[in-house]
Amino acid sequence: MFGYRVPAPDEAMLISGGRRGLGGAPFRVVTGHGKFVLPVFRKVRFLTLSMCEAEVTETCVTKQGIALHVRAVIAFKVGNDPESIINAGQRFLSDQEQMSVLTGRIFAGHLRAIIGSMTVEEIVTERQKLAAEVLDTSKMEMAKIGLIVDSLQIQSIDDGDTGYIDAMSAPHKAAIQRQAQIAQAQANQAAAEAQQDAARKQAEYARQTAVVQAEYSAQVDRAQAEASQAGPLAQAHAQQEVLAAQTELALRQAKLRQQQLVAEIVKPAEAEAERVRVLAIADAERMKIQAEAAASHDRVALDRMLIDQLPQIVKEAAGGLAGANVNVLNGADGLGEIAAGLVAQGLTILDSVRNNLNGQNTPQPSDNPQQSNGRLEIQGPRTEGDTDGAN
């Protein structure tokens, strides 16, 4: 709308002409809203309220007489209150660039004054203290011209060619270098230990790998050896079984041979022994008869004659037995039966002789032992499986 003016958010609108402003100021201050301004009768000007910057580069002499080149940056602006706007408008409205120039000069003076009361060590190590003191000393003066300082930063401090700051920092540099060297040495040591540990782990892994490979190789060799020995072992087992069969066969043959020897040698020997025993029995019987004959007074001569003939009879019977082919059955029982038959036949012969002497009848031929061609045939008891006669 014609005649209506509105300031920007970071500006203050100053309206001159007409009635006077606050505190007798030659203009009225409008911020944050618009206002009708009559053209020709009123004049409008704008004052910036935005942040401004001033840089200070100054050579200052310290309390020790050492010249320092100091560079600082100041951030400032016009105050938001009407009084600060009026003060700043009256001084800088026609040339607002002068605010930075004037602010730099004000701070340069206060910076020289404060540095002159401090040592190099204090200035270098306590920069924040230096900035705070400069702000405190310049605050009232800046308020008079309607400006406020937001911050002051000391960017650099240089002593030129004097080397004081370098000399002052030499012990710290040496300590830092020493710490750096120690840290480097520790890092090198840690790296070496890590390398040694890695080498040990690699060696241990290589050892374990070699052990596992050796075990695998041993297993393969053992399996191959077992496979190569399987054939010979099977052959050896077969040969062992053959030897066992041959040994069993030999034992059976030996047992059969033993039975043959018993049949060929032992049995005939037992028959001979039985024959000797029969002779001994006959001899004993003869002695008995002699004893009985001696006891009998009326038959002494007859009995003596019979006794004298009895050995000849038994001898003849035994002779026939020795030349005979006798099959002995039932072992010792068969031999006993044969001997008993011989004795019975001898007694029968003796009774026959007695009967003949007494005038009695001679027994039948079937009751007497038969003698033919010098061979005495003896008929013993038979069992199942025997032949019809003894050969």
Side-chain angles (χ1 to χ4, degrees), residues 351-385:
D351 292 337
S352 177
V353 172
R354 287 179 178 177
N355 291 330
N356 289 329
L357 292 176
N358 293 325
Q360 296 179 358
N361 294 328
T362 302
Q364 295 296 324
S366 59
D367 295 332
N368 295 326
Q370 297 177 2
Q371 184 175 4
S372 176
N373 297 327
R375 297 182 60 187
L376 178 64
E377 294 181 2
I378 300 174
Q379 186 70 28
R382 295 184 181 181
T383 60
E384 183 179 0

PDB file of all heavy atoms in Angstrom, residues 351-385:
ATOM      1  N   ASP A 351      40.717-189.497  37.216  1.00  0.00           N
ATOM      2  CA  ASP A 351      39.642-190.396  37.681  1.00  0.00           C
ATOM      3  C   ASP A 351      39.529-191.635  36.795  1.00  0.00           C
ATOM      4  O   ASP A 351      39.274-192.754  37.271  1.00  0.00           O
ATOM      5  CB  ASP A 351      38.303-189.640  37.708  1.00  0.00           C
ATOM      6  CG  ASP A 351      38.303-188.576  38.787  1.00  0.00           C
ATOM      7  OD1 ASP A 351      39.087-188.689  39.758  1.00  0.00           O
ATOM      8  OD2 ASP A 351      37.510-187.588  38.672  1.00  0.00           O
ATOM      9  N   SER A 352      39.738-191.422  35.483  1.00  0.00           N
ATOM     10  CA  SER A 352      39.646-192.568  34.553  1.00  0.00           C
ATOM     11  C   SER A 352      40.729-193.600  34.843  1.00  0.00           C
ATOM     12  O   SER A 352      40.489-194.810  34.822  1.00  0.00           O
ATOM     13  CB  SER A 352      39.757-192.060  33.111  1.00  0.00           C
ATOM     14  OG  SER A 352      39.739-193.137  32.210  1.00  0.00           O
ATOM     15  N   VAL A 353      41.910-193.085  35.115  1.00  0.00           N
ATOM     16  CA  VAL A 353      43.017-194.003  35.432  1.00  0.00           C
ATOM     17  C   VAL A 353      42.704-194.784  36.686  1.00  0.00           C
ATOM     18  O   VAL A 353      42.938-195.996  36.794  1.00  0.00           O
ATOM     19  CB  VAL A 353      44.334-193.229  35.563  1.00  0.00           C
ATOM     20  CG1 VAL A 353      45.459-194.139  36.078  1.00  0.00           C
ATOM     21  CG2 VAL A 353      44.710-192.633  34.219  1.00  0.00           C
ATOM     22  N   ARG A 354      42.159-194.069  37.701  1.00  0.00           N
ATOM     23  CA  ARG A 354      41.810-194.734  38.962  1.00  0.00           C
ATOM     24  C   ARG A 354      40.755-195.819  38.715  1.00  0.00           C
ATOM     25  O   ARG A 354      40.803-196.917  39.283  1.00  0.00           O
ATOM     26  CB  ARG A 354      41.313-193.714  39.993  1.00  0.00           C
ATOM     27  CG  ARG A 354      42.417-192.849  40.557  1.00  0.00           C
ATOM     28  CD  ARG A 354      41.825-191.857  41.543  1.00  0.00           C
ATOM     29  NE  ARG A 354      42.875-191.040  42.145  1.00  0.00           N
ATOM     30  CZ  ARG A 354      42.647-190.059  42.990  1.00  0.00           C
ATOM     31  NH1 ARG A 354      41.375-189.784  43.318  1.00  0.00           N
ATOM     32  NH2 ARG A 354      43.653-189.398  43.510  1.00  0.00           N
ATOM     33  N   ASN A 355      39.783-195.467  37.894  1.00  0.00           N
ATOM     34  CA  ASN A 355      38.716-196.439  37.635  1.00  0.00           C
ATOM     35  C   ASN A 355      39.254-197.688  36.919  1.00  0.00           C
ATOM     36  O   ASN A 355      38.823-198.824  37.166  1.00  0.00           O
ATOM     37  CB  ASN A 355      37.606-195.809  36.798  1.00  0.00           C
ATOM     38  CG  ASN A 355      36.832-194.755  37.609  1.00  0.00           C
ATOM     39  OD1 ASN A 355      36.741-194.890  38.842  1.00  0.00           O
ATOM     40  ND2 ASN A 355      36.278-193.795  36.939  1.00  0.00           N
ATOM     41  N   ASN A 356      40.185-197.452  35.992  1.00  0.00           N
ATOM     42  CA  ASN A 356      40.770-198.592  35.280  1.00  0.00           C
ATOM     43  C   ASN A 356      41.550-199.490  36.253  1.00  0.00           C
ATOM     44  O   ASN A 356      41.568-200.699  36.124  1.00  0.00           O
ATOM     45  CB  ASN A 356      41.683-198.118  34.146  1.00  0.00           C
ATOM     46  CG  ASN A 356      40.861-197.509  32.993  1.00  0.00           C
ATOM     47  OD1 ASN A 356      39.723-197.955  32.780  1.00  0.00           O
ATOM     48  ND2 ASN A 356      41.441-196.615  32.274  1.00  0.00           N
ATOM     49  N   LEU A 357      42.221-198.859  37.165  1.00  0.00           N
ATOM     50  CA  LEU A 357      42.976-199.630  38.129  1.00  0.00           C
ATOM     51  C   LEU A 357      42.055-200.435  39.043  1.00  0.00           C
ATOM     52  O   LEU A 357      42.420-201.496  39.548  1.00  0.00           O
ATOM     53  CB  LEU A 357      43.891-198.721  38.966  1.00  0.00           C
ATOM     54  CG  LEU A 357      45.060-198.056  38.190  1.00  0.00           C
ATOM     55  CD1 LEU A 357      45.810-197.121  39.107  1.00  0.00           C
ATOM     56  CD2 LEU A 357      45.998-199.167  37.658  1.00  0.00           C
ATOM     57  N   ASN A 358      40.851-199.881  39.297  1.00  0.00           N
ATOM     58  CA  ASN A 358      39.904-200.549  40.176  1.00  0.00           C
ATOM     59  C   ASN A 358      39.019-201.545  39.429  1.00  0.00           C
ATOM     60  O   ASN A 358      38.091-202.113  39.992  1.00  0.00           O
ATOM     61  CB  ASN A 358      39.024-199.553  40.904  1.00  0.00           C
ATOM     62  CG  ASN A 358      39.841-198.705  41.890  1.00  0.00           C
ATOM     63  OD1 ASN A 358      40.802-199.234  42.486  1.00  0.00           O
ATOM     64  ND2 ASN A 358      39.445-197.498  42.083  1.00  0.00           N
ATOM     65  N   GLY A 359      39.248-201.717  38.091  1.00  0.00           N
ATOM     66  CA  GLY A 359      38.486-202.709  37.347  1.00  0.00           C
ATOM     67  C   GLY A 359      37.164-202.139  36.854  1.00  0.00           C
ATOM     68  O   GLY A 359      36.295-202.930  36.490  1.00  0.00           O
ATOM     69  N   GLN A 360      36.988-200.876  36.868  1.00  0.00           N
ATOM     70  CA  GLN A 360      35.738-200.283  36.388  1.00  0.00           C
ATOM     71  C   GLN A 360      35.808-200.112  34.901  1.00  0.00           C
ATOM     72  O   GLN A 360      36.863-200.154  34.283  1.00  0.00           O
ATOM     73  CB  GLN A 360      35.496-198.930  37.077  1.00  0.00           C
ATOM     74  CG  GLN A 360      35.292-199.066  38.575  1.00  0.00           C
ATOM     75  CD  GLN A 360      35.078-197.696  39.204  1.00  0.00           C
ATOM     76  OE1 GLN A 360      35.131-196.725  38.513  1.00  0.00           O
ATOM     77  NE2 GLN A 360      34.844-197.747  40.517  1.00  0.00           N
ATOM     78  N   ASN A 361      34.607-199.760  34.314  1.00  0.00           N
ATOM     79  CA  ASN A 361      34.536-199.547  32.877  1.00  0.00           C
ATOM     80  C   ASN A 361      35.242-198.271  32.487  1.00  0.00           C
ATOM     81  O   ASN A 361      35.192-197.271  33.198  1.00  0.00           O
ATOM     82  CB  ASN A 361      33.065-199.508  32.435  1.00  0.00           C
ATOM     83  CG  ASN A 361      32.384-200.849  32.621  1.00  0.00           C
ATOM     84  OD1 ASN A 361      33.040-201.920  32.500  1.00  0.00           O
ATOM     85  ND2 ASN A 361      31.081-200.823  32.897  1.00  0.00           N
ATOM     86  N   THR A 362      35.795-198.354  31.264  1.00  0.00           N
ATOM     87  CA  THR A 362      36.483-197.159  30.733  1.00  0.00           C
ATOM     88  C   THR A 362      35.449-196.172  30.233  1.00  0.00           C
ATOM     89  O   THR A 362      34.489-196.556  29.590  1.00  0.00           O
ATOM     90  CB  THR A 362      37.418-197.549  29.576  1.00  0.00           C
ATOM     91  OG1 THR A 362      38.346-198.517  30.065  1.00  0.00           O
ATOM     92  CG2 THR A 362      38.133-196.340  29.047  1.00  0.00           C
ATOM     93  N   PRO A 363      35.606-194.911  30.486  1.00  0.00           N
ATOM     94  CA  PRO A 363      34.603-193.910  30.025  1.00  0.00           C
ATOM     95  C   PRO A 363      34.545-193.881  28.529  1.00  0.00           C
ATOM     96  O   PRO A 363      35.453-194.290  27.835  1.00  0.00           O
ATOM     97  CB  PRO A 363      35.140-192.576  30.564  1.00  0.00           C
ATOM     98  CG  PRO A 363      36.037-192.942  31.697  1.00  0.00           C
ATOM     99  CD  PRO A 363      36.607-194.284  31.338  1.00  0.00           C
ATOM    100  N   GLN A 364      33.405-193.290  27.997  1.00  0.00           N
ATOM    101  CA  GLN A 364      33.207-193.162  26.561  1.00  0.00           C
ATOM    102  C   GLN A 364      34.222-192.178  25.992  1.00  0.00           C
ATOM    103  O   GLN A 364      34.666-191.243  26.644  1.00  0.00           O
ATOM    104  CB  GLN A 364      31.774-192.649  26.279  1.00  0.00           C
ATOM    105  CG  GLN A 364      30.712-193.625  26.709  1.00  0.00           C
ATOM    106  CD  GLN A 364      30.764-194.903  25.946  1.00  0.00           C
ATOM    107  OE1 GLN A 364      31.069-194.934  24.751  1.00  0.00           O
ATOM    108  NE2 GLN A 364      30.501-196.052  26.628  1.00  0.00           N
ATOM    109  N   PRO A 365      34.539-192.447  24.707  1.00  0.00           N
ATOM    110  CA  PRO A 365      35.533-191.546  24.077  1.00  0.00           C
ATOM    111  C   PRO A 365      35.093-190.112  24.074  1.00  0.00           C
ATOM    112  O   PRO A 365      35.896-189.210  24.114  1.00  0.00           O
ATOM    113  CB  PRO A 365      35.672-192.094  22.669  1.00  0.00           C
ATOM    114  CG  PRO A 365      35.274-193.528  22.781  1.00  0.00           C
ATOM    115  CD  PRO A 365      34.256-193.632  23.824  1.00  0.00           C
ATOM    116  N   SER A 366      33.779-189.903  24.029  1.00  0.00           N
ATOM    117  CA  SER A 366      33.316-188.503  23.979  1.00  0.00           C
ATOM    118  C   SER A 366      33.540-187.790  25.276  1.00  0.00           C
ATOM    119  O   SER A 366      33.557-186.568  25.334  1.00  0.00           O
ATOM    120  CB  SER A 366      31.823-188.454  23.633  1.00  0.00           C
ATOM    121  OG  SER A 366      31.071-189.168  24.610  1.00  0.00           O
ATOM    122  N   ASP A 367      33.723-188.556  26.366  1.00  0.00           N
ATOM    123  CA  ASP A 367      33.931-187.891  27.650  1.00  0.00           C
ATOM    124  C   ASP A 367      35.384-187.594  27.906  1.00  0.00           C
ATOM    125  O   ASP A 367      35.701-186.995  28.935  1.00  0.00           O
ATOM    126  CB  ASP A 367      33.376-188.783  28.780  1.00  0.00           C
ATOM    127  CG  ASP A 367      31.889-188.950  28.677  1.00  0.00           C
ATOM    128  OD1 ASP A 367      31.261-188.003  28.118  1.00  0.00           O
ATOM    129  OD2 ASP A 367      31.392-189.966  29.169  1.00  0.00           O
ATOM    130  N   ASN A 368      36.284-188.130  27.118  1.00  0.00           N
ATOM    131  CA  ASN A 368      37.712-187.922  27.371  1.00  0.00           C
ATOM    132  C   ASN A 368      38.289-186.943  26.381  1.00  0.00           C
ATOM    133  O   ASN A 368      37.798-186.789  25.263  1.00  0.00           O
ATOM    134  CB  ASN A 368      38.469-189.259  27.265  1.00  0.00           C
ATOM    135  CG  ASN A 368      38.028-190.234  28.351  1.00  0.00           C
ATOM    136  OD1 ASN A 368      37.712-189.816  29.459  1.00  0.00           O
ATOM    137  ND2 ASN A 368      38.012-191.531  27.992  1.00  0.00           N
ATOM    138  N   PRO A 369      39.348-186.333  26.753  1.00  0.00           N
ATOM    139  CA  PRO A 369      40.029-185.435  25.808  1.00  0.00           C
ATOM    140  C   PRO A 369      40.585-186.251  24.690  1.00  0.00           C
ATOM    141  O   PRO A 369      41.049-187.356  24.875  1.00  0.00           O
ATOM    142  CB  PRO A 369      41.122-184.754  26.638  1.00  0.00           C
ATOM    143  CG  PRO A 369      41.358-185.637  27.785  1.00  0.00           C
ATOM    144  CD  PRO A 369      40.061-186.361  28.072  1.00  0.00           C
ATOM    145  N   GLN A 370      40.518-185.739  23.488  1.00  0.00           N
ATOM    146  CA  GLN A 370      40.995-186.386  22.282  1.00  0.00           C
ATOM    147  C   GLN A 370      42.357-185.854  21.939  1.00  0.00           C
ATOM    148  O   GLN A 370      42.588-184.667  21.968  1.00  0.00           O
ATOM    149  CB  GLN A 370      40.013-186.130  21.132  1.00  0.00           C
ATOM    150  CG  GLN A 370      38.637-186.728  21.401  1.00  0.00           C
ATOM    151  CD  GLN A 370      37.683-186.379  20.263  1.00  0.00           C
ATOM    152  OE1 GLN A 370      38.071-185.744  19.311  1.00  0.00           O
ATOM    153  NE2 GLN A 370      36.453-186.891  20.395  1.00  0.00           N
ATOM    154  N   GLN A 371      43.204-186.822  21.559  1.00  0.00           N
ATOM    155  CA  GLN A 371      44.577-186.469  21.169  1.00  0.00           C
ATOM    156  C   GLN A 371      44.786-187.059  19.813  1.00  0.00           C
ATOM    157  O   GLN A 371      44.655-188.242  19.619  1.00  0.00           O
ATOM    158  CB  GLN A 371      45.589-187.023  22.200  1.00  0.00           C
ATOM    159  CG  GLN A 371      46.997-186.601  21.905  1.00  0.00           C
ATOM    160  CD  GLN A 371      47.933-187.061  23.017  1.00  0.00           C
ATOM    161  OE1 GLN A 371      47.506-187.756  23.957  1.00  0.00           O
ATOM    162  NE2 GLN A 371      49.215-186.715  22.885  1.00  0.00           N
ATOM    163  N   SER A 372      45.132-186.204  18.876  1.00  0.00           N
ATOM    164  CA  SER A 372      45.308-186.652  17.484  1.00  0.00           C
ATOM    165  C   SER A 372      46.461-185.935  16.900  1.00  0.00           C
ATOM    166  O   SER A 372      46.502-184.682  16.927  1.00  0.00           O
ATOM    167  CB  SER A 372      44.033-186.351  16.681  1.00  0.00           C
ATOM    168  OG  SER A 372      44.208-186.682  15.326  1.00  0.00           O
ATOM    169  N   ASN A 373      47.347-186.782  16.358  1.00  0.00           N
ATOM    170  CA  ASN A 373      48.539-186.203  15.671  1.00  0.00           C
ATOM    171  C   ASN A 373      49.328-185.290  16.586  1.00  0.00           C
ATOM    172  O   ASN A 373      49.853-184.250  16.170  1.00  0.00           O
ATOM    173  CB  ASN A 373      48.146-185.444  14.412  1.00  0.00           C
ATOM    174  CG  ASN A 373      47.514-186.373  13.378  1.00  0.00           C
ATOM    175  OD1 ASN A 373      47.897-187.567  13.298  1.00  0.00           O
ATOM    176  ND2 ASN A 373      46.573-185.863  12.618  1.00  0.00           N
ATOM    177  N   GLY A 374      49.334-185.678  17.861  1.00  0.00           N
ATOM    178  CA  GLY A 374      50.148-184.871  18.806  1.00  0.00           C
ATOM    179  C   GLY A 374      49.531-183.548  19.161  1.00  0.00           C
ATOM    180  O   GLY A 374      50.222-182.695  19.686  1.00  0.00           O
ATOM    181  N   ARG A 375      48.204-183.252  18.829  1.00  0.00           N
ATOM    182  CA  ARG A 375      47.556-181.956  19.125  1.00  0.00           C
ATOM    183  C   ARG A 375      46.387-182.199  20.040  1.00  0.00           C
ATOM    184  O   ARG A 375      45.554-183.067  19.790  1.00  0.00           O
ATOM    185  CB  ARG A 375      47.064-181.258  17.858  1.00  0.00           C
ATOM    186  CG  ARG A 375      48.210-180.894  16.894  1.00  0.00           C
ATOM    187  CD  ARG A 375      47.658-180.174  15.681  1.00  0.00           C
ATOM    188  NE  ARG A 375      46.995-178.973  16.094  1.00  0.00           N
ATOM    189  CZ  ARG A 375      46.297-178.204  15.233  1.00  0.00           C
ATOM    190  NH1 ARG A 375      46.164-178.565  13.973  1.00  0.00           N
ATOM    191  NH2 ARG A 375      45.746-177.101  15.667  1.00  0.00           N
ATOM    192  N   LEU A 376      46.324-181.464  21.141  1.00  0.00           N
ATOM    193  CA  LEU A 376      45.237-181.553  22.112  1.00  0.00           C
ATOM    194  C   LEU A 376      44.205-180.510  21.758  1.00  0.00           C
ATOM    195  O   LEU A 376      44.517-179.317  21.722  1.00  0.00           O
ATOM    196  CB  LEU A 376      45.771-181.342  23.540  1.00  0.00           C
ATOM    197  CG  LEU A 376      44.707-181.356  24.641  1.00  0.00           C
ATOM    198  CD1 LEU A 376      44.051-182.760  24.713  1.00  0.00           C
ATOM    199  CD2 LEU A 376      45.348-180.990  25.959  1.00  0.00           C
ATOM    200  N   GLU A 377      42.976-180.904  21.465  1.00  0.00           N
ATOM    201  CA  GLU A 377      41.903-179.967  21.125  1.00  0.00           C
ATOM    202  C   GLU A 377      41.081-179.715  22.370  1.00  0.00           C
ATOM    203  O   GLU A 377      40.588-180.649  22.970  1.00  0.00           O
ATOM    204  CB  GLU A 377      41.023-180.542  20.009  1.00  0.00           C
ATOM    205  CG  GLU A 377      41.771-180.679  18.708  1.00  0.00           C
ATOM    206  CD  GLU A 377      40.870-181.216  17.615  1.00  0.00           C
ATOM    207  OE1 GLU A 377      39.675-181.434  17.899  1.00  0.00           O
ATOM    208  OE2 GLU A 377      41.356-181.374  16.485  1.00  0.00           O
ATOM    209  N   ILE A 378      40.914-178.480  22.699  1.00  0.00           N
ATOM    210  CA  ILE A 378      40.204-178.084  23.929  1.00  0.00           C
ATOM    211  C   ILE A 378      38.971-177.322  23.522  1.00  0.00           C
ATOM    212  O   ILE A 378      39.051-176.336  22.766  1.00  0.00           O
ATOM    213  CB  ILE A 378      41.096-177.234  24.836  1.00  0.00           C
ATOM    214  CG1 ILE A 378      42.347-178.018  25.235  1.00  0.00           C
ATOM    215  CG2 ILE A 378      40.329-176.756  26.040  1.00  0.00           C
ATOM    216  CD1 ILE A 378      43.341-177.200  26.002  1.00  0.00           C
ATOM    217  N   GLN A 379      37.846-177.749  24.007  1.00  0.00           N
ATOM    218  CA  GLN A 379      36.572-177.084  23.667  1.00  0.00           C
ATOM    219  C   GLN A 379      36.166-176.229  24.856  1.00  0.00           C
ATOM    220  O   GLN A 379      35.870-176.720  25.926  1.00  0.00           O
ATOM    221  CB  GLN A 379      35.485-178.144  23.403  1.00  0.00           C
ATOM    222  CG  GLN A 379      34.182-177.558  22.907  1.00  0.00           C
ATOM    223  CD  GLN A 379      34.340-177.035  21.490  1.00  0.00           C
ATOM    224  OE1 GLN A 379      35.157-177.533  20.733  1.00  0.00           O
ATOM    225  NE2 GLN A 379      33.563-176.014  21.169  1.00  0.00           N
ATOM    226  N   GLY A 380      36.203-174.974  24.670  1.00  0.00           N
ATOM    227  CA  GLY A 380      35.817-174.041  25.748  1.00  0.00           C
ATOM    228  C   GLY A 380      34.435-173.481  25.524  1.00  0.00           C
ATOM    229  O   GLY A 380      33.797-173.753  24.519  1.00  0.00           O
ATOM    230  N   PRO A 381      33.985-172.623  26.402  1.00  0.00           N
ATOM    231  CA  PRO A 381      32.653-171.997  26.261  1.00  0.00           C
ATOM    232  C   PRO A 381      32.620-171.061  25.084  1.00  0.00           C
ATOM    233  O   PRO A 381      33.611-170.426  24.750  1.00  0.00           O
ATOM    234  CB  PRO A 381      32.450-171.228  27.595  1.00  0.00           C
ATOM    235  CG  PRO A 381      33.822-170.983  28.096  1.00  0.00           C
ATOM    236  CD  PRO A 381      34.633-172.145  27.657  1.00  0.00           C
ATOM    237  N   ARG A 382      31.486-171.044  24.369  1.00  0.00           N
ATOM    238  CA  ARG A 382      31.339-170.193  23.169  1.00  0.00           C
ATOM    239  C   ARG A 382      30.400-169.038  23.475  1.00  0.00           C
ATOM    240  O   ARG A 382      29.508-169.137  24.265  1.00  0.00           O
ATOM    241  CB  ARG A 382      30.770-171.062  22.020  1.00  0.00           C
ATOM    242  CG  ARG A 382      31.691-172.140  21.574  1.00  0.00           C
ATOM    243  CD  ARG A 382      31.080-172.856  20.386  1.00  0.00           C
ATOM    244  NE  ARG A 382      31.967-173.928  19.967  1.00  0.00           N
ATOM    245  CZ  ARG A 382      31.675-174.708  18.923  1.00  0.00           C
ATOM    246  NH1 ARG A 382      30.564-174.533  18.218  1.00  0.00           N
ATOM    247  NH2 ARG A 382      32.502-175.688  18.540  1.00  0.00           N
ATOM    248  N   THR A 383      30.671-168.028  22.720  1.00  0.00           N
ATOM    249  CA  THR A 383      29.779-166.826  22.774  1.00  0.00           C
ATOM    250  C   THR A 383      29.287-166.547  21.410  1.00  0.00           C
ATOM    251  O   THR A 383      29.783-167.106  20.415  1.00  0.00           O
ATOM    252  CB  THR A 383      30.533-165.592  23.314  1.00  0.00           C
ATOM    253  OG1 THR A 383      31.615-165.307  22.463  1.00  0.00           O
ATOM    254  CG2 THR A 383      31.024-165.844  24.744  1.00  0.00           C
ATOM    255  N   GLU A 384      28.345-165.585  21.282  1.00  0.00           N
ATOM    256  CA  GLU A 384      27.744-165.239  19.973  1.00  0.00           C
ATOM    257  C   GLU A 384      28.800-164.657  19.100  1.00  0.00           C
ATOM    258  O   GLU A 384      29.545-163.773  19.507  1.00  0.00           O
ATOM    259  CB  GLU A 384      26.594-164.240  20.181  1.00  0.00           C
ATOM    260  CG  GLU A 384      25.873-163.887  18.866  1.00  0.00           C
ATOM    261  CD  GLU A 384      24.733-162.933  19.119  1.00  0.00           C
ATOM    262  OE1 GLU A 384      24.530-162.579  20.310  1.00  0.00           O
ATOM    263  OE2 GLU A 384      24.054-162.551  18.169  1.00  0.00           O
ATOM    264  N   GLY A 385      28.894-165.161  17.913  1.00  0.00           N
ATOM    265  CA  GLY A 385      29.913-164.695  16.971  1.00  0.00           C
ATOM    266  C   GLY A 385      31.087-165.598  16.875  1.00  0.00           C
ATOM    267  O   GLY A 385      31.973-165.381  16.045  1.00  0.00           O
TER     268      GLY A 385
END
